[in-house]
Amino acid sequence: MSETIQLNGHAIETVKLDVHTLQDGRRHVVCDFKVTSDAYHDIAVLLYEMNFHVRIPHGNLAFDASISNYFTDTTNLYKGNEVADYHVELTEIPLQPKS
């Protein structure tokens, strides 16, 4: 069953989505999703941002995170009708105390 994750307001339908809590209390998200050649440019530009406001509607979660791991099985989706598998891991950015 797919779930949706939102990164900086952009909704992505995932094939796999897991949220874990690290020993220090930060959340760690692991998600896999498909990227078509039509969506490749937009996804690449989004992921280059590196830092995100993450929303996971199903779990009613929202927090800031950065990419801690990322890979894909295809690095060039400029040919039409191709689909790549993307794996992205995000780690919550701890809140900075206000001075």
XYZ file of all heavy atoms in Angstrom:
794
model
N 0.841 -1.186 0.000
C 0.000 0.000 0.000
C 0.886 1.250 0.000
O 1.783 1.387 0.812
C -0.887 -0.021 1.241
C -1.786 1.165 1.355
S -2.819 0.973 2.824
C -3.345 2.619 3.023
N 0.671 2.124 -0.941
C 1.479 3.330 -1.025
C 1.001 4.376 -0.025
O -0.158 4.416 0.356
C 1.438 3.895 -2.441
O 0.178 4.428 -2.722
N 1.950 5.172 0.393
C 1.658 6.301 1.267
C 2.276 7.535 0.640
O 3.195 7.446 -0.167
C 2.255 6.092 2.664
C 1.567 5.016 3.460
C 2.099 4.973 4.884
O 2.005 6.001 5.582
O 2.619 3.921 5.273
N 1.797 8.675 1.057
C 2.304 9.937 0.533
C 3.222 10.588 1.552
O 2.939 10.590 2.745
C 1.139 10.896 0.221
O 0.295 10.289 -0.752
C 1.642 12.222 -0.320
N 4.338 11.116 1.050
C 5.210 11.959 1.856
C 5.283 13.299 1.129
O 5.262 13.341 -0.103
C 6.615 11.334 2.029
C 7.465 12.171 2.983
C 7.304 11.127 0.696
C 8.776 11.504 3.384
N 5.323 14.376 1.886
C 5.467 15.697 1.291
C 6.815 16.270 1.682
O 7.162 16.301 2.865
C 4.348 16.626 1.757
C 2.993 16.236 1.228
C 1.904 17.193 1.666
O 2.173 18.216 2.277
N 0.679 16.852 1.348
N 7.567 16.693 0.679
C 8.857 17.339 0.891
C 8.757 18.759 0.378
O 8.536 18.980 -0.817
C 9.968 16.592 0.145
C 10.141 15.114 0.486
C 11.226 14.494 -0.372
C 10.441 14.929 1.960
N 8.852 19.713 1.285
C 8.711 21.133 0.937
C 7.443 21.379 0.119
O 7.439 22.142 -0.841
C 9.942 21.647 0.193
C 11.166 21.684 1.084
O 11.066 21.580 2.296
N 12.327 21.840 0.482
N 6.375 20.703 0.499
C 5.084 20.901 -0.139
C 4.827 20.069 -1.379
O 3.740 20.106 -1.937
N 5.812 19.305 -1.845
C 5.662 18.465 -3.032
C 5.286 17.044 -2.599
O 6.050 16.396 -1.878
C 6.958 18.423 -3.854
C 7.372 19.761 -4.355
N 6.888 20.298 -5.521
C 8.204 20.688 -3.833
C 7.407 21.490 -5.702
N 8.215 21.752 -4.684
N 4.145 16.563 -3.035
C 3.673 15.228 -2.661
C 4.340 14.160 -3.521
O 4.416 14.297 -4.743
C 2.156 15.148 -2.811
N 4.811 13.102 -2.860
C 5.431 11.972 -3.542
C 4.746 10.707 -3.051
O 4.658 10.470 -1.843
C 6.940 11.900 -3.238
C 7.644 13.158 -3.752
C 7.551 10.632 -3.819
C 9.097 13.264 -3.335
N 4.261 9.903 -4.004
C 3.668 8.611 -3.663
C 4.794 7.601 -3.480
O 5.589 7.387 -4.401
C 2.713 8.143 -4.765
C 1.421 8.904 -4.817
C 0.587 8.764 -3.555
O 0.490 7.636 -3.007
O 0.043 9.793 -3.112
N 4.863 6.997 -2.317
C 5.945 6.063 -2.031
C 5.504 4.625 -2.278
O 4.327 4.299 -2.231
C 6.417 6.189 -0.579
O 5.358 5.801 0.296
C 6.874 7.604 -0.267
N 6.500 3.787 -2.529
C 6.292 2.342 -2.602
C 6.504 1.762 -1.206
O 5.840 0.820 -0.799
C 7.294 1.710 -3.602
C 7.197 0.201 -3.603
C 7.079 2.267 -4.996
N 7.441 2.380 -0.471
C 7.760 1.972 0.898
C 8.021 3.233 1.699
O 8.693 4.151 1.220
C 8.996 1.083 0.899
C 9.524 0.736 2.261
C 10.837 -0.022 2.146
C 11.523 -0.099 3.495
N 12.877 -0.619 3.375
N 7.493 3.288 2.909
C 7.718 4.434 3.783
C 7.772 3.947 5.218
O 6.807 3.375 5.720
C 6.597 5.469 3.613
C 6.659 6.712 4.498
C 7.892 7.542 4.180
C 5.405 7.549 4.319
N 8.923 4.129 5.858
C 9.104 3.746 7.255
C 9.656 4.927 8.028
O 10.533 5.644 7.527
C 10.089 2.576 7.384
C 9.549 1.287 6.800
O 8.373 0.966 7.044
O 10.309 0.610 6.088
N 9.159 5.112 9.240
C 9.662 6.157 10.127
C 10.135 5.482 11.407
O 9.395 4.710 12.013
C 8.574 7.205 10.451
C 9.139 8.288 11.363
C 8.001 7.807 9.181
N 11.375 5.762 11.781
C 11.968 5.202 12.991
C 12.432 6.350 13.874
O 12.710 7.439 13.384
C 13.180 4.327 12.664
C 12.907 3.296 11.613
N 12.264 2.109 11.879
C 13.180 3.284 10.293
C 12.169 1.414 10.765
N 12.716 2.103 9.786
N 12.550 6.071 15.160
C 13.125 7.045 16.080
C 14.536 6.602 16.433
O 14.740 5.451 16.853
C 12.266 7.172 17.354
O 10.936 7.541 16.980
C 12.828 8.233 18.288
N 15.490 7.495 16.248
C 16.880 7.214 16.576
C 17.093 7.293 18.086
O 16.241 7.810 18.817
C 17.796 8.208 15.863
C 17.696 8.229 14.331
C 18.549 9.360 13.763
C 18.113 6.893 13.751
N 18.227 6.828 18.554
C 18.521 6.827 19.986
C 18.489 8.225 20.588
O 18.151 8.392 21.752
C 19.869 6.175 20.264
C 19.855 4.682 20.090
C 21.198 4.051 20.423
O 22.240 4.701 20.367
N 21.160 2.777 20.778
N 18.839 9.232 19.785
C 18.837 10.604 20.303
C 17.474 11.284 20.184
O 17.340 12.464 20.463
C 19.915 11.441 19.619
C 19.705 11.598 18.119
O 18.663 11.151 17.585
O 20.599 12.161 17.457
N 16.456 10.522 19.756
C 15.091 11.047 19.694
C 14.683 11.629 18.348
O 13.509 11.917 18.131
N 15.650 11.819 17.436
C 15.309 12.348 16.114
C 14.630 11.261 15.282
O 14.917 10.081 15.427
C 16.557 12.843 15.385
C 17.187 14.052 16.009
C 18.421 14.501 15.267
N 19.409 13.423 15.276
C 20.321 13.241 14.324
N 20.389 14.060 13.290
N 21.181 12.252 14.403
N 13.763 11.707 14.382
C 13.098 10.767 13.476
C 13.941 10.539 12.234
O 14.624 11.446 11.759
C 11.712 11.283 13.114
C 10.766 11.196 14.324
C 9.523 11.957 14.082
N 9.808 13.365 14.367
C 8.893 14.248 14.698
N 7.639 13.903 14.767
N 9.212 15.501 14.944
N 13.859 9.314 11.726
C 14.592 8.903 10.534
C 13.583 8.264 9.587
O 12.879 7.323 9.964
C 15.688 7.903 10.916
C 16.533 7.472 9.768
N 17.532 8.261 9.248
C 16.533 6.340 9.036
C 18.111 7.614 8.250
N 17.522 6.453 8.094
N 13.479 8.811 8.380
C 12.509 8.342 7.392
C 13.244 7.605 6.284
O 14.251 8.097 5.770
C 11.735 9.534 6.772
C 10.771 9.062 5.701
C 11.022 10.327 7.848
N 12.743 6.438 5.932
C 13.261 5.666 4.807
C 12.126 5.531 3.812
O 11.034 5.044 4.177
C 13.741 4.267 5.261
C 14.221 3.461 4.066
C 14.827 4.387 6.318
N 12.331 5.984 2.575
C 11.263 5.864 1.585
C 11.818 5.466 0.226
O 12.933 5.836 -0.145
C 10.435 7.136 1.491
S 11.294 8.613 0.978
N 11.047 4.668 -0.455
C 11.339 4.246 -1.821
C 10.185 4.706 -2.700
O 9.015 4.609 -2.295
C 11.472 2.729 -1.918
C 12.653 2.195 -1.126
O 13.677 2.885 -1.039
O 12.542 1.076 -0.586
N 10.513 5.196 -3.883
C 9.467 5.644 -4.796
C 9.963 5.534 -6.230
O 11.154 5.413 -6.489
C 8.988 7.066 -4.471
C 10.081 8.093 -4.374
C 10.426 8.871 -5.464
C 10.756 8.306 -3.177
C 11.414 9.837 -5.376
C 11.756 9.272 -3.072
C 12.082 10.030 -4.176
N 9.030 5.567 -7.141
C 9.315 5.496 -8.571
C 9.352 6.908 -9.140
O 8.568 7.766 -8.743
C 8.236 4.693 -9.308
C 8.013 3.289 -8.778
C 9.058 2.359 -9.278
C 8.731 0.923 -8.879
N 9.777 -0.001 -9.239
N 10.268 7.124 -10.078
C 10.353 8.409 -10.769
C 10.315 8.135 -12.268
O 11.121 7.359 -12.780
C 11.641 9.170 -10.400
C 11.758 10.454 -11.206
C 11.673 9.472 -8.910
N 9.377 8.764 -12.942
C 9.264 8.607 -14.392
C 10.151 9.628 -15.099
O 10.564 10.630 -14.505
C 7.816 8.818 -14.865
O 7.446 10.176 -14.585
C 6.858 7.858 -14.168
N 10.414 9.368 -16.362
C 11.204 10.324 -17.133
C 10.512 11.683 -17.197
O 11.185 12.715 -17.217
C 11.492 9.790 -18.537
O 10.308 9.401 -19.186
N 9.179 11.701 -17.155
C 8.442 12.969 -17.173
C 8.659 13.779 -15.894
O 8.673 15.008 -15.923
C 6.941 12.728 -17.355
C 6.597 12.241 -18.748
O 7.415 12.442 -19.682
O 5.513 11.648 -18.909
N 8.820 13.097 -14.754
C 8.963 13.776 -13.459
C 10.418 13.942 -13.036
O 10.702 14.594 -12.026
C 8.209 12.996 -12.389
N 11.349 13.388 -13.785
C 12.761 13.348 -13.402
C 13.323 14.724 -13.053
O 13.931 14.910 -11.996
C 13.587 12.695 -14.512
C 15.070 12.776 -14.315
C 15.683 12.124 -13.254
C 15.866 13.508 -15.190
C 17.058 12.187 -13.069
C 17.238 13.581 -15.018
C 17.824 12.918 -13.957
O 19.170 12.988 -13.773
N 13.150 15.691 -13.912
C 13.729 17.017 -13.681
C 13.210 17.623 -12.375
O 13.998 18.117 -11.559
C 13.442 17.954 -14.862
C 13.951 19.343 -14.627
N 15.286 19.666 -14.725
C 13.303 20.474 -14.270
C 15.437 20.950 -14.436
N 14.254 21.462 -14.164
N 11.898 17.575 -12.179
C 11.307 18.168 -10.971
C 11.806 17.479 -9.706
O 12.098 18.137 -8.702
C 9.780 18.104 -11.032
C 9.218 19.002 -12.121
O 9.901 19.954 -12.545
O 8.071 18.743 -12.556
N 11.912 16.149 -9.727
C 12.395 15.407 -8.554
C 13.870 15.719 -8.304
O 14.287 15.928 -7.160
C 12.164 13.893 -8.722
C 10.669 13.569 -8.681
C 12.919 13.101 -7.655
C 9.988 13.854 -7.353
N 14.672 15.772 -9.366
C 16.096 16.079 -9.204
C 16.288 17.458 -8.581
O 17.079 17.625 -7.639
C 16.807 15.993 -10.548
N 15.563 18.445 -9.075
C 15.662 19.801 -8.529
C 15.225 19.809 -7.062
O 15.879 20.426 -6.215
C 14.830 20.793 -9.372
C 14.702 22.140 -8.673
C 15.448 20.966 -10.752
N 14.154 19.104 -6.743
C 13.674 19.034 -5.363
C 14.730 18.410 -4.452
O 15.057 18.954 -3.396
C 12.371 18.231 -5.296
C 11.817 17.973 -3.900
C 11.394 19.277 -3.229
C 10.649 17.003 -3.965
N 15.283 17.270 -4.837
C 16.246 16.579 -3.979
C 17.541 17.360 -3.803
O 18.203 17.231 -2.777
C 16.518 15.174 -4.510
C 15.326 14.216 -4.460
C 15.699 12.862 -5.033
C 14.778 14.074 -3.045
N 17.904 18.187 -4.773
C 19.098 19.022 -4.627
C 18.957 20.047 -3.507
O 19.954 20.599 -3.046
C 19.450 19.733 -5.936
C 20.142 18.854 -6.942
C 19.747 18.855 -8.270
C 21.194 18.019 -6.573
C 20.378 18.045 -9.207
C 21.821 17.214 -7.499
C 21.414 17.227 -8.811
O 22.034 16.432 -9.722
N 17.739 20.293 -3.057
C 17.536 21.229 -1.944
C 18.156 20.690 -0.651
O 18.502 21.460 0.230
C 16.049 21.528 -1.759
C 15.465 22.308 -2.918
C 13.976 22.589 -2.767
O 13.458 22.606 -1.630
O 13.321 22.793 -3.807
N 18.238 19.374 -0.514
C 18.884 18.681 0.611
C 18.163 18.815 1.960
O 18.190 17.904 2.753
C 20.339 19.103 0.778
C 21.230 18.763 -0.402
S 21.420 16.999 -0.679
C 22.359 16.527 0.750
N 17.571 19.943 2.252
C 16.853 20.154 3.509
C 15.381 20.361 3.205
O 15.031 21.090 2.271
C 17.403 21.364 4.262
C 18.828 21.135 4.712
O 19.151 20.109 5.291
N 19.690 22.096 4.432
N 14.534 19.740 4.039
C 13.110 19.718 3.729
C 12.249 19.906 4.961
O 12.641 19.518 6.066
C 12.725 18.351 3.118
C 13.563 17.990 1.943
C 14.662 17.171 2.084
C 13.274 18.492 0.683
C 15.463 16.842 0.996
C 14.057 18.174 -0.402
C 15.160 17.349 -0.247
N 11.071 20.464 4.719
C 10.007 20.353 5.708
C 9.237 19.101 5.281
O 8.704 19.037 4.169
C 9.092 21.575 5.734
C 8.036 21.425 6.774
N 8.321 21.484 8.123
C 6.724 21.154 6.675
C 7.209 21.272 8.807
N 6.230 21.061 7.944
N 9.239 18.100 6.133
C 8.639 16.803 5.842
C 7.258 16.738 6.471
O 7.092 17.068 7.649
C 9.521 15.658 6.409
C 8.875 14.309 6.177
C 10.912 15.712 5.809
N 6.286 16.295 5.690
C 4.947 16.010 6.204
C 4.586 14.608 5.774
O 4.753 14.239 4.612
C 3.901 16.974 5.647
C 3.878 18.306 6.357
C 2.613 19.121 6.074
N 1.447 18.479 6.661
C 0.398 18.012 5.957
N 0.356 18.103 4.657
N -0.614 17.452 6.567
N 4.100 13.830 6.737
C 3.588 12.496 6.451
C 2.158 12.476 6.970
O 1.919 12.278 8.170
C 4.464 11.409 7.116
C 5.908 11.547 6.635
C 3.901 10.021 6.808
C 6.901 10.652 7.337
N 1.205 12.751 6.072
C -0.187 12.889 6.504
C -0.734 11.667 7.236
O -1.432 11.807 8.235
C -0.946 13.131 5.190
C 0.079 13.710 4.266
C 1.364 13.037 4.654
N -0.394 10.468 6.764
C -0.932 9.256 7.373
C -0.553 9.146 8.855
O -1.335 8.713 9.680
C -0.456 8.018 6.602
C -0.946 6.738 7.171
N -2.243 6.307 7.012
C -0.320 5.794 7.928
C -2.394 5.143 7.641
N -1.238 4.815 8.200
N 0.665 9.533 9.196
C 1.126 9.464 10.580
C 0.965 10.765 11.337
O 1.364 10.871 12.482
N 0.379 11.774 10.674
C 0.191 13.092 11.260
C 1.521 13.650 11.786
O 1.596 14.157 12.894
C -0.872 13.055 12.356
C -1.395 14.435 12.662
O -1.393 15.321 11.806
N -1.843 14.634 13.884
N 2.579 13.513 10.972
C 3.915 13.958 11.349
C 4.341 15.145 10.501
O 4.031 15.214 9.316
C 4.932 12.832 11.141
C 4.745 11.571 11.966
C 5.717 10.499 11.492
C 4.954 11.872 13.438
N 5.079 16.044 11.119
C 5.662 17.177 10.404
C 6.928 17.591 11.148
O 6.903 17.766 12.372
C 4.688 18.338 10.322
N 8.039 17.702 10.410
C 9.315 18.090 11.008
C 10.282 18.451 9.891
O 10.049 18.151 8.729
C 9.892 16.970 11.889
C 10.010 15.641 11.193
C 11.182 15.279 10.552
C 8.946 14.746 11.182
C 11.287 14.055 9.914
C 9.049 13.521 10.554
C 10.222 13.173 9.915
N 11.383 19.099 10.261
C 12.426 19.443 9.303
C 13.472 18.330 9.292
O 13.817 17.777 10.347
C 13.077 20.778 9.667
C 12.118 21.940 9.466
O 11.255 21.857 8.572
O 12.237 22.933 10.202
N 13.979 18.020 8.100
C 14.952 16.938 7.962
C 15.870 17.221 6.783
O 15.577 18.050 5.931
C 14.228 15.607 7.749
N 16.983 16.501 6.765
C 17.908 16.593 5.633
C 18.200 15.183 5.121
O 18.038 14.195 5.841
C 19.196 17.308 6.030
O 19.861 16.585 7.038
N 18.653 15.114 3.876
C 18.966 13.824 3.277
C 20.213 13.252 3.959
O 21.236 13.914 4.050
C 19.208 13.959 1.761
C 17.911 14.337 1.048
C 19.772 12.662 1.191
C 18.058 14.551 -0.449
N 20.098 12.017 4.443
C 21.247 11.344 5.048
C 21.746 10.200 4.173
O 22.866 9.727 4.344
C 20.904 10.841 6.447
O 19.724 10.074 6.448
N 20.913 9.760 3.223
C 21.317 8.726 2.280
C 20.372 8.798 1.087
O 19.190 9.084 1.246
C 21.257 7.344 2.921
C 21.916 6.267 2.082
O 22.670 6.549 1.156
N 21.625 5.028 2.410
N 20.922 8.533 -0.102
C 20.111 8.614 -1.313
C 20.787 7.806 -2.402
O 21.999 7.846 -2.545
C 19.993 10.084 -1.740
C 19.766 10.315 -3.203
C 18.499 10.179 -3.757
C 20.815 10.680 -4.044
C 18.295 10.398 -5.116
C 20.614 10.901 -5.390
C 19.346 10.756 -5.915
O 19.143 10.963 -7.242
N 20.003 7.027 -3.134
C 20.531 6.369 -4.328
C 19.393 6.022 -5.270
O 18.226 6.006 -4.889
C 21.397 5.136 -4.006
C 20.700 4.053 -3.234
C 19.965 3.078 -3.872
C 20.825 3.993 -1.854
C 19.344 2.064 -3.161
C 20.215 2.982 -1.131
C 19.472 2.015 -1.782
N 19.766 5.775 -6.518
C 18.810 5.408 -7.544
C 19.445 4.369 -8.447
O 20.670 4.279 -8.529
C 18.362 6.637 -8.364
O 17.440 6.211 -9.370
C 19.536 7.347 -9.005
N 18.619 3.589 -9.117
C 19.153 2.581 -10.034
C 19.390 3.147 -11.425
O 19.990 2.497 -12.270
C 18.239 1.354 -10.093
C 16.887 1.643 -10.728
O 16.509 2.827 -10.850
O 16.197 0.686 -11.097
N 18.954 4.386 -11.672
C 19.108 5.019 -12.979
C 19.475 6.482 -12.766
O 18.788 7.180 -12.037
C 17.800 4.939 -13.797
O 17.393 3.577 -13.871
C 17.975 5.491 -15.186
N 20.521 6.924 -13.395
C 20.933 8.316 -13.208
C 20.548 9.215 -14.367
O 20.717 10.412 -14.286
C 22.462 8.399 -13.011
O 23.098 7.822 -14.141
C 22.880 7.694 -11.737
N 20.034 8.643 -15.444
C 19.664 9.447 -16.599
C 18.289 9.013 -17.094
O 18.148 7.966 -17.709
C 20.699 9.291 -17.712
C 20.391 10.172 -18.901
O 19.352 10.838 -18.942
N 21.275 10.185 -19.867
N 17.302 9.829 -16.791
C 15.933 9.530 -17.214
C 15.480 10.467 -18.331
O 14.299 10.745 -18.464
C 14.970 9.654 -16.024
C 15.027 8.528 -15.008
C 14.152 8.867 -13.810
C 14.576 7.225 -15.628
N 16.407 10.944 -19.127
C 16.031 11.863 -20.195
C 15.381 11.165 -21.378
O 14.762 11.807 -22.204
C 17.236 12.695 -20.642
C 17.595 13.746 -19.618
C 18.791 13.677 -18.924
C 16.726 14.783 -19.335
C 19.116 14.642 -17.976
C 17.034 15.745 -18.389
C 18.234 15.665 -17.718
O 18.543 16.610 -16.778
N 15.528 9.855 -21.483
C 14.823 9.114 -22.527
C 13.372 8.937 -22.078
O 13.097 8.715 -20.905
C 15.454 7.740 -22.738
C 16.878 7.781 -23.235
C 17.419 6.378 -23.368
C 18.902 6.391 -23.686
N 19.463 5.037 -23.635
N 12.448 9.002 -23.017
C 11.032 8.891 -22.684
C 10.631 7.509 -22.198
O 11.280 6.506 -22.490
N 9.562 7.459 -21.412
C 8.930 6.224 -20.939
C 9.839 5.356 -20.074
O 9.697 4.142 -20.069
C 8.389 5.410 -22.114
C 7.363 6.184 -22.898
O 6.505 6.849 -22.318
N 7.451 6.136 -24.214
N 10.780 5.949 -19.358
C 11.614 5.190 -18.434
C 11.171 5.466 -17.008
O 10.610 6.509 -16.698
C 13.083 5.551 -18.601
C 13.663 5.054 -19.911
C 15.174 5.172 -19.948
O 15.803 5.239 -18.876
O 15.702 5.197 -21.060
N 11.452 4.508 -16.121
C 11.101 4.634 -14.708
C 12.297 4.188 -13.881
O 12.909 3.157 -14.164
C 9.868 3.774 -14.357
C 9.547 3.878 -12.870
C 8.662 4.182 -15.190
N 12.619 4.969 -12.856
C 13.726 4.635 -11.968
C 13.208 4.396 -10.557
O 12.193 4.959 -10.151
C 14.744 5.769 -11.949
N 13.937 3.568 -9.828
C 13.666 3.349 -8.407
C 14.564 4.285 -7.608
O 15.784 4.292 -7.796
C 13.962 1.902 -8.012
C 13.018 0.925 -8.674
O 11.803 1.209 -8.704
O 13.484 -0.115 -9.155
N 13.963 5.075 -6.726
C 14.704 5.996 -5.868
C 14.582 5.529 -4.428
O 13.522 5.070 -3.999
C 14.125 7.410 -5.967
C 14.700 8.232 -7.095
C 14.625 7.792 -8.412
C 15.301 9.453 -6.854
C 15.149 8.545 -9.448
C 15.824 10.215 -7.893
C 15.746 9.753 -9.178
O 16.267 10.502 -10.207
N 15.676 5.663 -3.681
C 15.705 5.368 -2.252
C 16.241 6.615 -1.567
O 17.346 7.072 -1.883
C 16.617 4.165 -1.978
C 16.788 3.875 -0.519
N 15.944 3.033 0.163
C 17.698 4.324 0.378
C 16.335 2.962 1.423
N 17.398 3.745 1.582
N 15.466 7.161 -0.639
C 15.872 8.376 0.064
C 15.688 8.158 1.559
O 14.656 7.639 1.994
C 15.049 9.597 -0.395
C 15.409 10.836 0.410
C 15.252 9.857 -1.881
N 16.703 8.547 2.326
C 16.614 8.519 3.780
C 16.788 9.947 4.280
O 17.681 10.675 3.827
C 17.689 7.616 4.378
C 17.510 6.164 3.961
C 18.544 5.239 4.561
O 19.049 5.532 5.671
O 18.848 4.215 3.907
N 15.914 10.327 5.183
C 15.919 11.679 5.742
C 16.069 11.579 7.256
O 15.418 10.743 7.896
C 14.607 12.389 5.423
C 14.250 12.474 3.942
C 12.765 12.668 3.753
C 15.020 13.610 3.307
N 16.898 12.438 7.832
C 17.081 12.461 9.281
C 16.656 13.824 9.799
O 17.059 14.861 9.258
C 18.548 12.178 9.652
O 18.918 10.904 9.099
C 18.728 12.133 11.153
N 15.851 13.795 10.847
C 15.326 15.024 11.431
C 16.450 15.952 11.865
O 17.460 15.513 12.426
C 14.441 14.694 12.631
C 13.762 15.883 13.251
C 12.779 15.524 14.334
O 12.774 14.365 14.805
O 11.990 16.396 14.703
N 16.275 17.232 11.578
C 17.208 18.270 12.010
C 16.756 18.723 13.388
O 15.601 19.153 13.557
C 17.208 19.468 11.039
C 17.620 19.014 9.641
C 18.106 20.586 11.555
C 17.396 20.063 8.571
N 17.623 18.630 14.395
C 17.195 19.042 15.736
C 16.895 20.538 15.785
O 17.541 21.333 15.096
C 18.383 18.690 16.629
C 19.528 18.441 15.734
C 19.000 18.184 14.351
N 15.916 20.881 16.579
C 15.590 22.291 16.758
C 16.728 22.993 17.463
O 17.319 22.459 18.401
C 14.302 22.433 17.577
C 13.026 21.918 16.933
C 11.860 21.987 17.916
C 12.713 22.718 15.688
N 17.049 24.174 16.993
C 18.092 24.976 17.622
C 17.468 25.819 18.727
O 16.425 26.438 18.514
C 18.756 25.893 16.579
C 19.432 25.141 15.459
C 20.570 24.272 15.965
O 21.318 24.666 16.839
N 20.680 23.080 15.418
N 18.081 25.837 19.908
C 17.532 26.664 20.989
C 17.587 28.141 20.597
O 18.541 28.591 19.957
C 18.442 26.384 22.184
C 19.616 25.636 21.663
C 19.297 25.154 20.291
N 16.550 28.860 20.972
C 16.518 30.300 20.701
C 17.391 31.017 21.705
O 17.382 30.718 22.884
C 15.087 30.818 20.768
C 14.214 30.246 19.665
C 12.813 30.797 19.734
C 11.981 30.181 18.622
N 10.636 30.691 18.624
N 18.146 31.989 21.200
C 19.048 32.722 22.116
C 18.429 33.995 22.595
O 17.475 34.485 22.170
C 20.379 32.996 21.434
O 20.210 33.482 20.136
